[in-house]
Amino acid sequence: MKLFTETVDKFLKYMEAIERSPETISGYTKDLVAFNRFLEKQYNGAVYIEEVTVGDIESFLESLKAQGQQPASRSRKLYTLRSFFAYAYKKEFVKRNIALSVEPPKLQQKERTYLSESEVMQLVDAIQHNLIRIVVLTLYYTGLRISECLDLTLDTVDLDKKLIHVVAGKGNKDRSVPISDKLLPVLKDYVQHQRPKVDSPYFFATGKTGRLSPVYVNRVLGETVQALGWKKKVTAHILRHSFASQLVKKEVNLVKIQKLLGHSSLKVTSIYTHSNMEELSEAVNVL
């Protein structure tokens, strides 16, 4: 018999061995530590993995709901437990993956917030911080995640070939994203005339620390949106949504959008096929 904590340690080492991202491993660790804490309180001591039941997982999720955790957060924790017990079953530590018997919380499907082209340009014009203005344009014209964008180096941005190479993006995958004709002159001007002379490999470099942080970019975005008097919340990730939404609106093939965004499945990309109310009104008024 193996202790639950012992199996967790083996699972996390396995995650490292198959090169899951540090962010993924960190998330799994937090979820499993929280579940183990719950189990030890229930059983009044250390627990063996074979002792864990479907009821334990259901009670754990119920306790999270009582604490006010949203369905998406509880669903992610169940996903962690399913991955963990799948590993334990594969290694024959348990007879079955009990987490598969637990119904996931029902998630409310929300329309993704996104900006129109004119709103993006209005936002860009209002940003006071020059480097962040260029970062925002890059996010909008490439669909990069904020971490992917700020991790770009001088070596991974090829202005001659008009390509951005994303190295070890989400899921530890590499991909290449073409630089559009609108973005290219902005990036060229930045490199030639604006980038500070610092010993930093990062493409978007600052004079002080050598790089920008996602927190700082989102703070400037929040302050700019507030200054504009907008009610909607705008983050760096909203620019990624806006990129995808505008491509869908212009009838770009979903498979092409999937490749640009670096999505593992077309199902994830299909969330961007939303329509705004103006378009829906036009549709019903055709009759």
Side-chain angles (χ1 to χ4, degrees):
M1 292 179 76
K2 285 196 178 293
L3 285 170
F4 184 84
T5 51
E6 188 182 347
T7 314
V8 167
D9 289 340
K10 289 181 179 292
F11 171 69
L12 295 174
K13 284 175 184 172
Y14 170 71
M15 289 287 108
E16 287 178 6
I18 61 172
E19 297 184 338
R20 286 297 181 95
S21 72
E23 290 81 7
T24 298
I25 295 173
S26 174
Y28 281 168
T29 303
K30 288 175 185 173
D31 293 344
L32 292 169
V33 165
F35 184 52
N36 180 61
R37 198 182 298 125
F38 173 83
L39 290 174
E40 289 186 347
K41 190 175 179 182
Q42 294 290 102
Y43 286 86
N44 197 28
V47 181
Y48 290 100
I49 189 167
E50 296 95 324
E51 296 177 318
V52 184
T53 66
V54 172
D56 289 330
I57 298 175
E58 289 174 339
S59 297
F60 172 62
L61 295 176
E62 279 298 319
S63 73
L64 297 176
K65 184 179 180 181
Q67 292 168 26
Q69 284 204 19
Q70 295 300 309
S73 179
R74 287 181 274 128
S75 182
R76 195 203 72 233
K77 287 180 173 63
L78 177 58
Y79 178 82
T80 295
L81 290 173
R82 284 183 172 180
S83 298
F84 169 72
F85 278 102
Y87 165 81
Y89 173 67
K90 183 179 174 184
K91 295 296 181 182
E92 299 183 348
F93 299 147
V94 292
K95 291 180 180 177
R96 68 186 184 95
N97 183 346
I98 59 170
L100 290 174
S101 300
V102 180
E103 284 291 317
K106 287 188 177 179
L107 299 177
Q108 184 183 359
Q109 293 297 320
K110 293 181 180 178
E111 280 285 303
R112 296 267 174 164
T113 301
Y114 70 100
L115 303 177
S116 65
E117 281 185 277
S118 60
E119 285 176 323
V120 171
M121 294 310 141
Q122 190 181 349
L123 177 68
V124 168
D125 288 342
I127 294 172
Q128 300 295 311
H129 194 295
N130 192 50
L131 179 56
I132 291 181
R133 189 185 302 120
I134 298 167
V135 167
V136 166
L137 282 169
T138 303
L139 291 169
Y140 177 65
Y141 283 123
T142 63
L144 296 181
R145 299 174 178 91
I146 183 64
S147 58
E148 293 171 341
C149 183
L150 300 186
D151 283 345
L152 291 174
T153 65
L154 290 168
D155 293 334
T156 55
V157 179
D158 192 332
L159 297 176
D160 293 328
K161 292 183 179 177
K162 299 202 294 187
L163 275 180
I164 285 174
H165 302 288
V166 178
V167 179
K170 191 172 181 180
N172 209 26
K173 294 174 184 172
D174 297 353
R175 73 181 187 281
S176 293
V177 179
I179 299 172
S180 74
D181 292 338
K182 288 182 180 177
L183 181 61
L184 186 63
V186 174
L187 297 184
K188 279 186 173 179
D189 180 70
Y190 163 69
V191 170
Q192 291 167 8
H193 305 116
Q194 300 178 52
R195 189 177 184 276
K197 302 278 190 283
V198 290
D199 185 21
S200 170
Y202 294 105
F203 186 81
F204 295 111
T206 60
K208 275 188 177 179
T209 62
R211 71 175 304 186
L212 280 170
S213 74
V215 173
Y216 187 49
V217 172
N218 280 320
R219 191 168 78 209
V220 171
L221 279 173
E223 290 168 355
T224 306
V225 166
Q226 195 173 17
L228 285 167
W230 292 359
K231 298 300 180 190
K232 63 176 73 176
K233 184 180 178 183
V234 178
T235 63
H237 208 66
I238 295 301
L239 294 161
R240 178 171 160 86
H241 295 330
S242 304
F243 167 81
S245 299
Q246 292 305 325
L247 291 184
V248 168
K249 201 173 179 180
K250 295 177 189 296
E251 299 183 350
V252 174
N253 184 284
L254 266 188
V255 175
K256 292 178 182 176
I257 300 173
Q258 178 195 356
K259 288 180 178 177
L260 289 170
L261 293 173
H263 283 159
S264 55
S265 75
L266 204 55
K267 184 180 178 183
V268 180
T269 313
S270 65
I271 61 172
Y272 294 105
T273 56
H274 50 51
S275 300
N276 61 35
M277 290 310 295
E278 186 181 335
E279 290 169 333
L280 294 176
S281 297
E282 286 175 6
V284 297
N285 285 321
V286 168
L287 297 176

